Amino acid sequence: SQPGHLIDIMATSVDVAGATYPEEYKGNAIIPMQGRSLAPAFDDRPIERPEGLFWEHEGNRAVRKGDWKLVSRYPGKWELYNLREDRTEMDDLAAKRPEIAKELEEMYNDWAGRSFVQPWGELMAERNRKNKQG
């Protein structure tokens, strides 16, 4: 009943093993772990995720916080869903609840910036330029 994501696997493994995630390797800083341990859910305890859950893959992007999910299928616009009331994501509420959509979009943009997410259109344009050069 609690959402989890691929990014949580490392955090869960580190937690269950009682290990410490490294801050550097051979003098090079390591990007901090992004996920949350799923271990509390094994004991019916809540997974603490106050910052939300974020993902991006080939331009498709989303953020989930509580019952709300903001999602965009590349190259489309943002869509907003209340997963408690609409688990199958059929009723886009972005126009009806713009304040929630804006808040979640800002959260996504902050996460994307600190996670080095490059907008898909820019990435593809850069690849095309490099392929033409050579």
Side-chain angles (χ1 to χ4, degrees), residues 3-15 21 31-39 47-57 62-64 108 111-112 114-115 117:
H5 194 267
L6 180 64
I7 63 170
D8 297 325
I9 300 300
M10 176 63 81
T12 304
S13 298
V14 168
D15 183 21
Y21 189 78
I31 297 171
M33 193 166 34
Q34 295 290 311
R36 294 284 179 242
S37 176
L38 301 175
I47 299 167
E48 299 297 327
R49 198 184 304 269
E51 72 284 352
L53 179 61
F54 307 88
W55 61 97
E56 185 277 341
H57 180 71
V63 57
R64 178 170 177 182
Y108 175 86
W111 168 82
R114 70 178 181 268
S115 299
V117 174

Side-chain angles (χ1 to χ4, degrees), residues 21-33 116:
Y21 189 78
E23 294 181 13
E24 66 175 49
Y25 180 72
K26 293 186 178 182
N28 297 305
I30 295 175
I31 297 171
M33 193 166 34
F116 308 102

Side-chain angles (χ1 to χ4, degrees), residues 125-134:
E126 184 178 317
R127 285 184 182 172
N128 287 337
R129 278 191 305 276
K130 287 181 180 180
N131 287 340
K132 286 179 182 177
Q133 293 172 354

Side-chain angles (χ1 to χ4, degrees), residues 40-111:
F42 303 159
D43 297 320
D44 279 335
R45 292 182 293 126
I47 299 167
E48 299 297 327
R49 198 184 304 269
E51 72 284 352
L53 179 61
F54 307 88
W55 61 97
E56 185 277 341
H57 180 71
E58 296 183 342
N60 303 303
R61 55 199 175 146
V63 57
R64 178 170 177 182
K65 185 168 184 187
D67 294 333
W68 293 102
K69 180 179 176 187
L70 188 70
V71 61
S72 173
R73 292 165 189 88
Y74 184 81
K77 62 180 180 55
W78 285 111
E79 299 171 7
L80 178 67
Y81 299 99
N82 182 313
L83 297 179
R84 179 179 300 240
E85 297 172 6
D86 180 19
R87 190 97 175 123
T88 57
E89 301 178 19
M90 301 297 290
D91 185 20
D92 178 7
L93 300 173
K96 294 177 186 172
R97 302 298 303 267
E99 72 286 357
I100 295 173
K102 182 179 181 190
E103 175 189 354
L104 294 177
E105 181 178 5
E106 288 173 359
M107 289 172 59
Y108 175 86
N109 289 336
D110 288 344
W111 168 82

